[in-house]
Amino acid sequence: MKKIFSFIIFLCLVIMTSCASDGSYTIYLPDGTPALAIANLLDKADDRFKINFVNPTEIASSVSVSNCDMAIMPTISAATLYAKKNVPIKIVSNNVFGSLYLASKTLINDATDLKGHLIYATAGTTIDMIKYILTKNSIKFNLSSEIKEDEVSITTASSAQEIIPLLAKNSECFGVLGEPVLSNALKKVQDLKIALDIQNEYSKINNNESFPQACFVAKDEMILNHEKVLKRVISLLKDNKEFINESISRISSIYENYNSSLKNINFDDNLIKRCNIDFKMAKEIDVASWDNYPTWHKPSETVEETALDTAMMHDLFYSMKDKPFLLMESSPSFTNWQPVSKQKKPGIAELAALQTVAHGADSVLYFQWRASRGAEEKLHGAVIGHDGREDARSFTETAQVGQELETLAEITAVKREKQAAIVHDWQNKWALEGSCGPRNAGMGYWDELKRHYNALAREGIAVEFVDQNADLTGYGLVVVPMLYLLTDAFAKKLCAFAQNGGTVIVTYWSGVVDESDLCRLGDTPYGLTELLGLRRTEIDGMYDGETRRCVPSAGCTLPAAQASTLCEVAALDEKDPAEPLSLYAEDYFAGHPAAAVHRYGKGRAYYLASRFDEAFYRAFYHDAAKEIGLSPAWPEALPEGVLAVRRGSFVFVQNCTEQPATVGNTVLDRYRTAVWKDMDRIF
């Protein structure tokens, strides 16, 4: 094949993914609760992994040794090793967030109340955090045990355990403690309480961000040559929070096989919560990437639906860094590991590759270049099959894709236009999944996101995904689906966004609990009742297959719809009510708004009280996009099953149907893609 476009690479990834599959990997862990971040892996008892617990003060030196492959360690220590000592490591993820607390018999409101008091802290991250909090609050401090009226005195203790008797003796002093020492201290010392959550103080200073206290690191050798093993570990780390919350009663038993003090701890809900174990990756990585293996041609969904599912994943990974991502793996033909490894029909390889680029990728990489002769993936699709022929369909279609991508070379690094954002928040997802409420099966958080995404994508509107820490500047529309866990800061941010001319869409089951998963008191959706012009009064869970009929309000063009999953009952604000767009037509909540809109400042806010059928969302977002002034990728209505995506000055129009489709003056054969630049067709 001629010179192939620089950002399409055909790699024999077998070289990367099969290295040292029979070897072992050494993981160093601090002997303390940060090691909970990897409990999931320890529970698997995989002989490939050799686990070494060390004193937390020795973790940095342990990571420096040659036999260390991976580790959990303080994030500050990891950065120091990388920057100053040239240890070949990379931070893969942050896993422990702000698990330090000020304990005392004296209660305070905030950091300013610490003036005139003594704080005991251990060396390292602990004392550094206290100094940071005080400095950012313009509070003077001294490093001594001498009490000064307008200053905070800080003195160093040799260990956290040493602080406990000091707190028992002096009711006016404070001690910086983390788990499990904190739980032990609260049991031992009468009247001892948590006086201040240091994480909350850090968050106030840093725009609601969490302090990345401990992280997971890997040696460069692991990253470069043992990709498959590392991916497995990362996958377990991602699921670990859910795992430890479901396994509290047996956590200590997991550590019985290791030389760790954690085997002697009685874990409970409060202890686990205060450890603040989580998984965050995006901000610490340089480039977002993913492997894409959709199941095309399933009887249960159309090619368009499969394409929309894939597009949503592309946009999710684009959103991680708000810049072009890399597609690291895809199949040129078929897989060998799905229940049915369906062959891609002619044209799908092109459709899939160009869709990737349209949604913001700067690479289209294939697994595998040449079909391997043995092992697990010997029957996996390849650009060059076992016959070695260049006239095979997978080869010729891949070569065609390469030529098309070469034509598009200038699109590299081009960002997508900001139009709509959907709030996808991992903290919220986990809180939803762990809650017991009006419906505990089939809530389908991901399904809810898809309904909004698909309707916008079919309109040709660019969609990104944001969390509650995101800057909403530049978006015309922000969709808030099932934001059960809503922070104070984000509620205010949504109100300000609408006040300044933006459009917000809030769905049912939003604004229920705070960031500690405690129910909000007062009217709900919390923090959004003024924005929405209504309040939630009741909520009814629907059985599978159960629906409630909804009809449009007088003068509204929305179609009749079926409401399912959850049906919220809302009361309109008496002074500044929302305008109903659709009304429930049956059951005890007949006449209450199923959908409503409310003018707020220069913008507006929509409320959707239930989950509706596809026709409703398509009509709703068609009207909303037009009302907001969001320009679709293609200026005219597209035939059913045809999708359009804009990236910079490039517009991709893709026929996801078996039949030819006409777009403008262009006839697209089945599964074919046409690309325009500045509305001049390229191919």
Side-chain angles (χ1 to χ4, degrees):
M1 297 188 326
K2 303 183 241 180
K3 44 176 189 171
I4 300 295
F5 176 39
S6 60
F7 74 83
I8 180 166
I9 308 169
F10 306 122
L11 297 176
C12 183
L13 293 180
V14 173
I15 296 173
M16 294 180 65
T17 58
S18 63
C19 292
S21 58
D22 298 325
S24 62
Y25 306 90
T26 300
I27 301 176
Y28 279 86
L29 302 176
D31 190 18
T33 52
L36 292 176
I38 208 163
N40 201 356
L41 183 143
L42 300 188
D43 188 55
K44 302 297 180 185
D46 192 327
D47 291 339
R48 291 179 299 171
F49 300 106
K50 295 181 178 179
I51 309 299
N52 291 332
F53 281 87
V54 299
N55 188 298
T57 60
E58 299 171 1
I59 192 70
S61 58
S62 299
V63 172
S64 302
V65 302
S66 59
N67 72 329
C68 175
D69 298 305
M70 296 164 281
I72 297 287
M73 65 184 304
T75 307
I76 294 173
S77 299
T80 302
L81 284 183
Y82 176 82
K84 295 182 180 180
K85 299 188 179 180
N86 297 317
V87 178
I89 60 169
K90 296 290 189 297
I91 295 177
V92 178
S93 61
N94 280 327
N95 302 79
V96 182
F97 294 85
S99 60
L100 297 174
Y101 302 85
L102 273 180
S104 178
K105 295 180 181 180
T106 299
L107 293 180
I108 57 175
N109 294 314
D110 54 39
T112 58
D113 292 338
L114 290 169
K115 293 177 182 177
H117 291 281
L118 175 65
I119 296 177
Y120 293 99
T122 54
T125 300
T126 303
I127 200 166
D128 289 341
M129 276 298 294
I130 288 296
K131 290 159 67 175
Y132 176 81
I133 298 294
L134 295 174
T135 301
K136 289 294 183 179
N137 282 283
S138 302
I139 301 170
K140 293 181 180 179
F141 62 87
N142 63 82
L143 301 178
S144 73
S145 57
E146 182 184 352
I147 306 296
K148 296 184 180 180
E149 186 177 345
D150 293 325
E151 294 184 9
V152 178
S153 301
I154 307 171
T155 189
T156 305
S158 59
S159 70
Q161 290 288 354
E162 183 186 299
I163 296 174
I164 298 177
L166 298 171
L167 295 174
K169 190 184 299 183
N170 184 354
S171 62
E172 294 294 316
C173 72
F174 294 79
V176 186
L177 301 175
E179 293 292 2
V181 178
L182 175 62
S183 288
N184 186 34
L186 293 172
K187 292 174 183 175
K188 280 188 174 181
V189 181
Q190 190 177 1
D191 297 327
L192 189 69
K193 300 178 180 66
I194 296 174
L196 201 68
D197 184 339
I198 294 176
Q199 164 61 28
N200 287 345
E201 296 303 307
Y202 180 94
S203 184
K204 291 176 188 176
I205 299 165
N206 292 279
N207 194 29
N208 212 38
E209 291 281 349
S210 299
F211 171 59
Q213 191 167 320
C215 62
F216 173 71
V217 302
K219 288 286 185 65
D220 288 355
E221 166 70 12
M222 281 296 304
I223 296 170
L224 292 172
N225 296 323
H226 307 286
E227 182 188 21
K228 185 173 273 187
V229 174
L230 187 57
K231 282 184 176 180
R232 173 59 177 159
V233 176
I234 292 171
S235 176
L236 289 169
L237 288 169
K238 286 181 179 178
D239 297 335
N240 188 66
K241 180 178 180 178
E242 184 175 355
F243 170 78
I244 61 175
N245 282 323
E246 293 175 349
S247 311
I248 294 173
S249 62
R250 67 180 191 91
I251 287 288
S252 58
S253 65
I254 294 172
Y255 293 83
E256 285 179 353
N257 297 323
Y258 304 94
N259 186 26
S260 170
S261 61
L262 295 181
K263 61 187 176 184
N264 300 317
I265 295 173
N266 294 318
F267 289 95
D268 58 29
D269 288 338
N270 290 328
L271 195 158
I272 293 293
K273 281 181 182 178
R274 288 196 289 260
C275 290
N276 215 348
I277 306 294
D278 209 337
F279 180 91
K280 292 185 180 180
M281 196 169 182
K283 291 184 179 180
E284 286 69 46
I285 61 176
D286 297 312
V287 178
S289 69
W290 78 293
D291 302 342
N292 179 29
Y293 292 103
T295 49
W296 297 101
H297 315 299
K298 287 188 293 188
S300 58
E301 66 182 24
T302 65
V303 167
E304 183 200 28
E305 289 170 334
T306 305
L308 286 168
D309 285 348
T310 306
M312 184 170 168
M313 291 301 299
H314 288 322
D315 287 346
L316 182 62
F317 279 89
Y318 178 93
S319 302
M320 283 186 176
K321 301 296 293 182
D322 191 27
K323 66 180 184 182
F325 63 96
L326 298 179
L327 182 70
M328 298 303 292
E329 288 188 29
S330 59
S331 174
S333 52
F334 56 89
T335 62
N336 76 316
W337 44 264
Q338 292 170 331
V340 176
S341 297
K342 193 75 173 174
Q343 180 74 260
K344 287 180 177 177
K345 293 183 179 182
I348 292 292
E350 178 197 56
L351 185 144
L354 294 181
Q355 180 195 46
T356 303
V357 177
H359 284 268
D362 274 1
S363 72
V364 178
L365 282 74
Y366 290 105
F367 180 88
Q368 49 192 334
W369 166 243
R370 184 182 294 274
S372 53
R373 293 187 64 197
E376 182 181 358
E377 290 160 328
K378 62 183 179 293
L379 299 179
H380 193 287
V383 178
I384 299 175
H386 294 125
D387 57 12
R389 299 188 65 90
E390 294 187 12
D391 59 354
R393 182 163 67 88
S394 62
F395 187 98
T396 58
E397 288 194 3
T398 302
Q400 179 187 342
V401 169
Q403 292 166 358
E404 291 171 347
L405 294 181
E406 197 171 13
T407 305
L408 293 169
E410 64 183 290
I411 204 172
T412 307
V414 172
K415 297 183 68 173
R416 298 184 65 195
E417 178 187 4
K418 284 187 180 294
Q419 290 189 299
I422 295 177
V423 180
H424 171 256
D425 189 277
W426 289 105
Q427 308 293 327
N428 174 63
K429 179 179 183 295
W430 293 324
L432 268 171
E433 292 171 348
S435 96
C436 296
R439 180 173 170 132
N440 300 318
M443 281 289 287
Y445 178 60
W446 191 254
D447 185 55
E448 180 71 21
L449 298 182
K450 279 172 58 177
R451 290 170 183 264
H452 299 272
Y453 178 88
N454 288 358
L456 285 165
R458 284 181 166 125
E459 288 296 313
I461 304 300
V463 179
E464 294 181 23
F465 292 89
V466 300
D467 62 18
Q468 298 191 62
N469 296 317
D471 181 1
L472 303 181
T473 304
Y475 297 107
L477 169 67
V478 175
V479 185
V480 187
M482 287 173 63
L483 197 58
Y484 164 82
L485 187 157
L486 174 65
T487 67
D488 291 317
F490 194 62
K492 292 174 183 175
K493 195 179 293 185
L494 289 171
C495 293
F497 176 76
Q499 185 78 41
N500 293 323
T503 296
V504 177
I505 297 172
V506 179
T507 81
Y508 63 98
W509 210 222
S510 294
V512 180
V513 301
D514 64 13
E515 47 266 64
S516 299
D517 202 18
L518 298 175
C519 285
R520 298 289 192 177
L521 301 179
D523 292 341
T524 58
Y526 173 81
L528 304 178
T529 55
E530 184 180 321
L531 170 68
L532 297 172
L534 49 77
R535 60 183 174 85
R536 178 169 51 234
T537 60
E538 295 183 79
I539 186 163
D540 191 26
M542 300 285 106
Y543 292 110
D544 287 349
E546 186 183 16
T547 60
R548 294 293 181 266
R549 187 167 56 89
C550 304
V551 296
S553 302
C556 181
T557 58
L558 286 174
Q562 296 295 327
S564 64
T565 309
L566 292 178
C567 289
E568 287 191 349
V569 183
L572 300 178
D573 187 274
E574 295 180 0
K575 295 180 179 179
D576 185 17
E579 176 190 348
L581 300 174
S582 178
L583 300 169
Y584 291 116
E586 57 184 324
D587 216 333
Y588 64 91
F589 38 84
H592 287 269
V597 64
H598 183 236
R599 298 282 177 179
Y600 189 80
K602 298 177 182 178
R604 64 180 68 81
Y606 290 90
Y607 167 69
L608 303 179
S610 185
R611 181 176 295 173
F612 304 104
D613 47 63
E614 181 185 296
F616 175 90
Y617 289 107
R618 295 192 68 171
F620 175 82
Y621 279 104
H622 176 79
D623 293 347
K626 194 179 285 185
E627 180 79 18
I628 299 164
L630 300 178
S631 301
W634 190 257
E636 302 168 0
L638 292 168
E640 195 68 22
V642 177
L643 302 174
V645 183
R646 182 191 295 114
R647 181 176 175 183
S649 58
F650 295 85
V651 176
F652 297 72
V653 179
Q654 300 193 291
N655 181 12
C656 301
T657 73
E658 288 272 354
Q659 306 301 320
T662 301
V663 178
N665 297 319
T666 300
V667 176
L668 292 175
D669 291 334
R670 71 170 192 169
Y671 307 144
R672 291 306 306 270
T673 300
V675 182
W676 284 260
K677 182 186 179 188
D678 297 322
M679 297 312 292
D680 292 326
R681 189 176 175 188
I682 301 174
F683 59 81

